[in-house]
Amino acid sequence: MRTSRVALIVVGVVAAILLFPFKQTIAPEWTIDTLDADRRPLAKITVREVWQQYSLENDGHEEDRLTDSSGRVQFPRRYLRSSIGQRLIGCLKQATMAGVHASCGPNSFLVAFGKGVDTMDWADFSQEQGTTMPWQRSTLVLKH
């Protein structure tokens, strides 16, 4: 009788963990400073943030913002609430549908363009990739 009660409690706790919707960061809070090769700010350059939680969403999201006179632009933190169970099922669904090309979990990245600037001009490509950290600060130096 006692072991069945303990087993029931354990099953209940595991079910609660799998079903409780936790907040997950999909894209960090970005503060981006854009500079030219001479380290001068690039004003009025478009920076696009793209983000998606592949396990839960079929379509991605994007937002464009212009840099200010000091070459700075900020994006808020993006998050979703979902349970671990939803994420696991979504990832399995992606793997079943897309096979080796499946993507699971959150992803975010930046692109910059305008006034003759293109993301392909970035001096360090690693700075465009997002993380699941709650914030990220990047200085994007463009060869322009």
Side-chain angles (χ1 to χ4, degrees):
M1 178 87 110
R2 183 173 171 93
T3 56
S4 63
R5 184 179 280 173
V6 170
L8 187 61
I9 290 171
V10 169
V11 168
V13 168
V14 170
I17 290 170
L18 288 175
L19 298 174
F20 183 80
F22 293 97
K23 187 186 283 189
Q24 179 186 35
T25 298
I26 309 303
E29 177 181 293
W30 298 90
T31 299
I32 298 106
D33 294 305
T34 57
L35 305 173
D36 67 13
D38 294 324
R39 300 284 185 179
R40 290 185 307 248
L42 287 168
K44 306 300 180 204
I45 296 296
T46 301
V47 178
R48 176 175 292 160
E49 178 188 35
V50 181
W51 70 96
Q52 182 175 353
Q53 204 321 348
Y54 286 98
S55 300
L56 303 172
E57 301 177 299
N58 292 325
D59 298 314
H61 311 275
E62 59 183 50
E63 182 178 343
D64 292 351
R65 294 193 177 186
L66 291 175
T67 58
D68 62 16
S69 60
S70 64
R72 178 171 288 174
V73 67
Q74 293 181 302
F75 291 98
R77 179 175 163 232
R78 316 289 183 172
Y79 65 89
L80 284 176
R81 285 192 173 277
S82 62
S83 69
I84 294 171
Q86 286 175 298
R87 295 176 204 171
L88 289 172
I89 290 168
C91 193
L92 289 172
K93 181 180 168 187
Q94 284 288 330
T96 301
M97 291 176 20
V100 295
H101 301 289
S103 294
C104 291
N107 186 40
S108 63
F109 61 93
L110 301 170
V111 293
F113 54 91
K115 293 187 173 183
V117 171
D118 186 289
T119 301
M120 299 309 291
D121 295 330
W122 288 9
D124 181 0
F125 288 108
S126 68
Q127 294 181 46
E128 74 171 327
Q129 200 63 27
T131 68
T132 56
M133 297 300 292
W135 60 270
Q136 181 166 329
R137 183 173 188 91
S138 298
T139 300
L140 305 178
V141 180
L142 295 105
K143 296 177 196 172
H144 180 71

